[in-house]
Amino acid sequence: MKKKVTVAIDGPSSSGKSTIAKLVAKHFNFTYIDSGSIYRAITYVALKNNLIKTGDIDVVSLIDLLNNCSISFSFNSNNQNVIKLDDISVEDEIRTFEISNNVSLIAEKNEIRKYVLKIQKDISNNKSVVMDGRDIGSVVFPNADFKFFLDASIDVRALRRWNELKLTEKDLKFEEVKKDLLKRDKKDINRKFSPLRRSKDSTLINSDRLDISEVVKHIIGIIKKEI
Ligand code: CDP
């Protein structure tokens, strides 16, 4: 087997990326890295410090704060990343609807993307990784060994996300979740820096009619053939 393998999985919100990326990583004993969790942790820092006001961000103060705190990862027994802020896990705090609602504002800033890029490269140094996100195959690892782009229709994606979120946020309506996904898709696709794009050399998988195990099997099959 090749010494170090990089697998990029991109796609819009709730297209199944993280569930599938975790299972593929587990199969090959590669490290799974959820790049969205870095943008979410930064959004958490920004909200906590009141740096997002009326839809705008004080980027200078935010970068300053980020330079004085540490965003790091530890890995659990399944080799999945647990994101930490100043050494304390913020895995639960970053999954709220409020964070989802604000994260695209953070992700569109080039200064923030440069900060995240460094973390992405550092964490992948010298190991085989499966990383999911929006720009992994296009910007972060344009030379990745394998690139996949996962997609599904907006209603399928919104239903998946609503089912997840309503376990902890009981009053949340399906329509609110769908509206948030549409807003995020629009921002992710249209932003100036690293927009969500399918790179031409990626394998497109639409999971509207495929369950998780079918998508995972398909991806594992493609990787196995080559390594
Ligand atoms: O889980 P979900 O697909 O909803 O989103 P996520 O992967 O947690 O990412 C949250 C947000 O971070 C996305 O809506 C993007 O705006 C941004 N993001 C990005 O711009 N680039 C990445 N590589 C990963 C996430």
Side-chain angles (χ1 to χ4, degrees), residues 1 4-5 7 19 24 27 40 83 87 97 99 101 103-104 117 132 159 161 168 179 181 186 190 210 213 217:
M1 195 202 275
K4 177 177 167 342
V5 178
V7 182
T19 310
V24 171
H27 178 90
R40 285 174 177 271
I83 190 149
D87 247 12
F97 190 60
I99 299 279
N101 229 329
V103 66
S104 296
L117 187 64
D132 73 342
L159 190 62
R161 182 49 54 100
T168 47
K179 211 170 119 196
L181 288 194
K186 199 170 160 198
N190 294 310
L210 294 176
S213 62
K217 212 171 135 194

Side-chain angles (χ1 to χ4, degrees), residues 143-219:
N143 298 320
D145 302 286
F146 300 94
K147 296 183 186 180
F148 299 93
F149 192 92
L150 298 189
D151 209 354
S153 65
I154 179 67
D155 282 308
V156 168
R157 293 190 285 123
L159 190 62
R160 285 178 189 159
R161 182 49 54 100
W162 182 56
N163 283 332
E164 238 170 64
L165 283 170
K166 73 182 180 188
L167 296 175
T168 47
E169 301 184 46
K170 294 201 167 36
D171 296 332
L172 198 59
K173 306 263 181 308
F174 170 79
E175 283 306 326
E176 274 180 88
V177 174
K178 182 171 167 182
K179 211 170 119 196
D180 170 64
L181 288 194
L182 284 170
K183 188 181 89 183
R184 250 182 328 135
D185 282 357
K186 199 170 160 198
K187 268 196 167 298
D188 289 346
I189 291 166
N190 294 310
R191 70 180 171 223
K192 188 168 168 200
F193 304 104
S194 306
L196 171 66
R197 290 265 186 287
R198 187 196 148 207
S199 42
K200 285 199 181 78
D201 55 351
S202 66
T203 303
L204 174 65
I205 302 174
N206 183 304
S207 66
D208 272 354
R209 289 192 187 78
L210 294 176
D211 67 24
I212 289 166
S213 62
E214 290 172 302
V215 178
V216 170
K217 212 171 135 194
H218 183 50
I219 293 181

Side-chain angles (χ1 to χ4, degrees), residues 13 18 42-43 48 53 70 75 101 103 106 130 140 155 164 166 181 186:
S13 190
S18 64
I42 295 173
T43 309
K48 226 175 134 190
K53 281 180 197 136
S70 82
F75 295 92
N101 229 329
V103 66
I106 294 283
V130 179
V140 182
D155 282 308
E164 238 170 64
K166 73 182 180 188
L181 288 194
K186 199 170 160 198

Side-chain angles (χ1 to χ4, degrees), residues 67-106:
N67 286 332
N68 285 297
C69 69
S70 82
I71 291 181
S72 61
F73 293 92
S74 62
F75 295 92
N76 63 20
S77 53
N78 285 329
N79 230 2
Q80 291 163 4
N81 70 188
V82 175
I83 190 149
K84 293 180 165 180
L85 187 61
D86 289 333
D87 247 12
I88 297 169
S89 167
V90 285
E91 271 297 329
D92 292 338
E93 289 79 353
I94 64 168
R95 305 290 165 194
T96 63
F97 190 60
E98 191 193 13
I99 299 279
S100 298
N101 229 329
N102 286 282
V103 66
S104 296
L105 280 173
I106 294 283

